[in-house]
Amino acid sequence: MKKCLECGDEIKGRIDKKFCSDYCRNAYNNKINKDSKNLVRNINNRLRKNYRILDSFELKDGKTRTTKTRLLDKGFDFEYITNLYTTKKGSTYFFVYDLGYLPLDNDYYMLVKRE
């Protein structure tokens, strides 16, 4: 007699079955993945917020300029990006998905959208 890994009830059905119901299967997996899911959820929420902030600026010809202060006032967190792009000239763009920024002089930033 096999027992459910979550609740310990007897399992009926297929020989390779590990849980008595979908509820027990989901509860078991949620418990196991709890710590990593919170970390991933928090990072994804931060990236989503950064993306919305970059997307709130109106782009002309795929770019615009703003200040670091305006980004920070909206809640932008410079720690969370998805990738970097370095040009042949050596400029490094920081991207959150398809929206990016390039640090300029005097705390200005060039915002761009990758096509």
Side-chain angles (χ1 to χ4, degrees), residues 65-89:
R65 281 175 39 137
T66 190
T67 63
K68 183 175 188 175
T69 305
R70 283 187 68 198
L71 289 168
L72 291 173
D73 286 348
K74 290 183 175 221
F76 193 82
D77 189 337
F78 288 90
E79 297 285 317
Y80 292 91
I81 60 170
T82 55
N83 60 308
L84 299 170
Y85 175 73
T86 305
T87 64
K88 291 178 184 173
K89 292 181 181 179

Side-chain angles (χ1 to χ4, degrees), residues 51-65:
Y51 186 85
R52 279 195 304 266
I53 291 167
L54 291 176
D55 198 37
S56 71
F57 290 91
E58 186 177 329
L59 302 179
K60 293 180 183 168
D61 297 324
K63 60 186 176 182
T64 192
R65 281 175 39 137

Side-chain angles (χ1 to χ4, degrees), residues 7-53:
C7 69
D9 286 353
E10 182 181 342
I11 298 176
K12 296 176 183 165
R14 293 189 340 253
I15 196 165
D16 62 339
K17 206 170 174 185
K18 296 178 182 179
F19 304 98
C20 64
S21 67
D22 285 339
Y23 175 82
C24 280
R25 179 177 47 83
N26 287 329
Y28 179 84
N29 286 316
N30 285 341
K31 267 194 256 181
I32 287 178
N33 297 322
K34 182 179 166 188
D35 293 333
S36 66
K37 283 189 178 181
N38 281 340
L39 174 66
V40 171
R41 184 181 309 116
N42 291 339
I43 291 171
N44 284 338
N45 286 340
R46 192 69 248 177
L47 287 170
R48 193 176 303 115
K49 184 173 182 182
N50 276 356
Y51 186 85
R52 279 195 304 266
I53 291 167

